[in-house]
Amino acid sequence: MTTFLPTVTVVILSVLAVCNSELVPIDYDVDKADVMGDAVFTVPLPSDNDYSDQPDFTEGALCYEVQGKTGYSYNLISDRCVTVNSFYNKTTMESRANLIKAISVLVDGESGECHRVKVKRHHCHVYVDGNPLNGTFDSDGIRVQASNHGNKIFVSLPNCLEDGLPGMTLTISCSQAEGEEALELQVTYVDGVRSTSHGLLGQFWNINMTKEPYVGPYRGRQMSAEDKMYKVKILDPVKGDIVRSFLAELEQIQWDGNRLPCLYAGSSQGSSTSKDPDNGNVIEGRYSDYKMDHLSTIDFKYRKYKEGGQCETLDNDDSRPYGK
C-alpha cells in the first residue's frame, strides 16, 4: 500500500472477469481535478498503476455529485494554509439544479498574511483582497492572472509545508451550464498537501484507496462481474484501517463528455445509493457537514486550516450577496 503525494491536477474503470483478485492500491495523482456544472466532481485515478488485467481501463477517475442546497456555501478544499469555498445558487432551468456562482480562496501568503481571491460568475469578475483584479496580482507567493479573453482565472498558491515552493494551482473557468453562467474549478497542480486535508474535493488527496470488482447484493439484485460494479475502500492514512467503503459503477464516459472511464458513485448528495452493507457514503459524513457560514470563512465540521492563522480574523462583510 502506498501513499501518494499529488504532483499535478481534480474529476471516475473496467471490469475484471474474476472476483478473487488482489486489492489494487489507488495512488491518487491530481491531474485536472474538476468541479463543474451542477456541482459534479471528477477525481482522476493514476494511470501508472498496473491495470494490465483491465484492458478497458488505461486512465480514468472517480465521479460523484454533491448538489447541495440553494443559497449556501460549501467547502471544497481545506488544508493547513488554504481554504477553497463555493457558493451554490439555483438555475432558472426546469432541472432546478444548483450551479456554482462564486468561488472564494483564502490562503496564507509567505509572510503569514491572509489573502482572499474571489471569483463571481457574472462576467467572471475577480477580486483580490477586496479589490478588482487589474492585470496580474503577484505578491507574497500568490499569483492571480486572467486569460486574454477573461473567461479563465489562474491562481497559484504557496506551499503549505515548505516555504518558497509552489503549492496549489487552480484554474477557475466561467462557463455555461444548464444554459446559464456558472463557474468550473480545476486543480491543475498540487504539492505540500497533507493526507489529512479535507473538503468535498480535498478529502480524496494524499489518501490510500483500494478498488476491487464487486459481486454481491445491490438494491435488491445480485451483481455479477458483467455488471461492472466496483467496491472502493478508503483507508486511514496512518493506521491503514478501512474508514468507509462504497460501490461504484463503471462507465466509459465522464461528466464532461470525455471518452474516459469513470467510476460513478453515490447519490446526488455524495451519500449512499442503497442500504447494502458494503455501500456507504462517498464523502465523509453528510453534505451539510461542509456548509460554511459565509463564502469567505474557514470554519466547518472538518476544518483543517491551522489554529491561530490570519484567515481566522478575516472580515467577511464583502461576501454578500454570496454570504450564506
Side-chain angles (χ1 to χ4, degrees):
M1 185 62 59
T2 56
T3 301
F4 65 89
L5 284 174
T7 54
V8 269
T9 18
V10 171
V11 173
I12 312 181
L13 297 200
S14 167
V15 178
L16 297 181
V18 295
C19 306
N20 56 356
S21 59
E22 292 184 336
L23 296 181
V24 180
I26 297 177
D27 227 2
Y28 175 62
D29 184 15
V30 186
D31 190 9
K32 295 183 181 177
D34 193 84
V35 186
M36 61 180 292
D38 52 346
V40 293
F41 294 72
T42 305
V43 181
L45 303 178
S47 57
D48 55 353
N49 280 336
D50 181 12
Y51 297 114
S52 58
D53 54 355
Q54 303 170 56
D56 294 332
F57 181 68
T58 55
E59 58 178 318
L62 175 70
C63 292
Y64 59 101
E65 295 181 73
V66 182
Q67 292 186 359
K69 186 176 180 180
T70 297
Y72 286 91
S73 296
Y74 296 91
N75 178 266
L76 301 179
I77 302 167
S78 180
D79 200 39
R80 177 176 173 80
C81 75
V82 61
T83 295
V84 180
N85 299 327
S86 59
F87 176 76
Y88 284 30
N89 205 2
K90 64 181 178 181
T91 174
T92 59
M93 305 297 285
E94 292 183 1
S95 67
R96 298 180 181 177
N98 287 322
L99 301 176
I100 294 178
K101 297 299 182 74
I103 290 174
S104 177
V105 181
L106 305 175
V107 61
D108 294 338
E110 292 178 345
S111 68
E113 179 184 355
C114 179
H115 296 274
R116 171 175 46 196
V117 179
K118 184 180 297 182
V119 181
K120 297 183 179 180
R121 57 91 183 172
H122 185 61
H123 299 306
C124 224
H125 287 163
V126 187
Y127 302 86
V128 180
D129 295 331
N131 302 310
L133 179 66
N134 184 13
T136 298
F137 177 89
D138 193 353
S139 178
D140 208 11
I142 300 163
R143 183 178 177 89
V144 184
Q145 184 177 15
S147 64
N148 291 335
H149 297 290
N151 62 337
K152 292 182 182 293
I153 311 301
F154 307 103
V155 183
S156 179
L157 305 175
N159 193 299
C160 284
L161 298 182
E162 296 188 55
D163 294 338
L165 294 179
M168 188 181 302
T169 301
L170 311 175
T171 299
I172 302 172
S173 303
C174 298
S175 58
Q176 292 286 322
E178 299 287 333
E180 298 186 21
E181 288 182 310
L183 296 180
E184 176 182 346
L185 172 71
Q186 278 194 339
V187 182
T188 52
Y189 182 88
V190 173
D191 193 14
V193 175
R194 302 173 301 168
S195 59
T196 53
S197 63
H198 222 293
L200 291 173
L201 186 60
Q203 65 187 281
F204 290 102
W205 298 351
N206 268 343
I207 63 170
N208 290 328
M209 295 189 286
T210 64
K211 64 171 180 57
E212 59 183 344
Y214 177 76
V215 172
Y218 178 66
R219 305 182 77 169
R221 57 179 292 230
Q222 185 73 15
M223 308 304 291
S224 67
E226 287 70 29
D227 291 308
K228 301 184 177 182
M229 294 289 292
Y230 276 81
K231 180 179 178 180
V232 178
K233 296 178 182 179
I234 308 297
L235 308 180
D236 184 277
V238 178
K239 299 179 180 180
D241 299 336
I242 299 174
V243 176
R244 65 185 184 279
S245 66
F246 53 84
L247 301 180
E249 184 174 3
L250 172 69
E251 298 288 349
Q252 293 298 324
I253 190 169
Q254 296 185 356
W255 294 119
D256 59 1
N258 282 335
R259 293 287 176 176
L260 294 173
C262 224
L263 283 174
Y264 285 87
S267 71
S268 62
Q269 299 291 14
S271 59
S272 175
T273 53
S274 72
K275 295 182 179 180
D276 299 296
D278 291 316
N279 194 24
N281 292 349
V282 178
I283 61 172
E284 183 174 3
R286 294 172 50 82
Y287 81 95
S288 54
D289 294 332
Y290 299 81
K291 185 170 73 69
M292 315 296 289
D293 289 337
H294 298 277
L295 178 63
S296 294
T297 191
I298 58 172
D299 282 323
F300 71 111
K301 181 175 181 178
Y302 301 114
R303 164 190 165 168
K304 298 301 179 181
Y305 179 78
K306 64 187 177 185
E307 295 292 336
Q310 292 296 312
C311 290
E312 283 191 331
T313 59
L314 190 68
D315 182 0
N316 292 308
D317 285 348
D318 78 338
S319 61
R320 299 181 181 88
Y322 305 108
K324 289 185 176 180

